[in-house]
Amino acid sequence: MDELRLRDVKGLSYVSRRRLDAADFDPDAVDEDGLPLVYNEQRIAGYWGSRPGELLGRWAKFTAIS
């Protein structure tokens, strides 16, 4: 445990793997389907909230694999 180092998660979006302070960084960017590329709990919940059948299907696949 002494050698455990934590990553600086404030400087990098782990969804898009881009620097948050980059000149071309857009916190509102979405992919071609409209899914946010930067982690934002409310926006992601809104995305999946409008696709309940798709979300259920993804959970079914996840459960089957598990």
Side-chain angles (χ1 to χ4, degrees):
M1 289 296 270
D2 293 334
E3 295 181 24
L4 179 67
R5 284 188 271 165
L6 300 177
R7 294 184 217 187
D8 175 18
V9 297
K10 293 182 180 178
L12 182 67
S13 166
Y14 284 94
V15 176
S16 66
R17 298 280 185 191
R18 299 199 50 211
R19 292 285 311 171
L20 300 177
D21 57 358
D24 63 344
F25 179 75
D26 180 5
D28 298 319
V30 296
D31 69 7
E32 59 277 355
D33 295 323
L35 184 63
L37 295 176
V38 176
Y39 182 81
N40 179 306
E41 189 173 342
Q42 290 81 24
R43 293 184 71 207
I44 293 171
Y47 174 86
W48 288 113
S50 65
R51 296 164 174 81
E54 187 174 341
L55 183 57
L56 182 60
R58 290 178 66 98
W59 273 109
K61 287 179 187 176
F62 173 76
T63 304
I65 292 170
S66 296

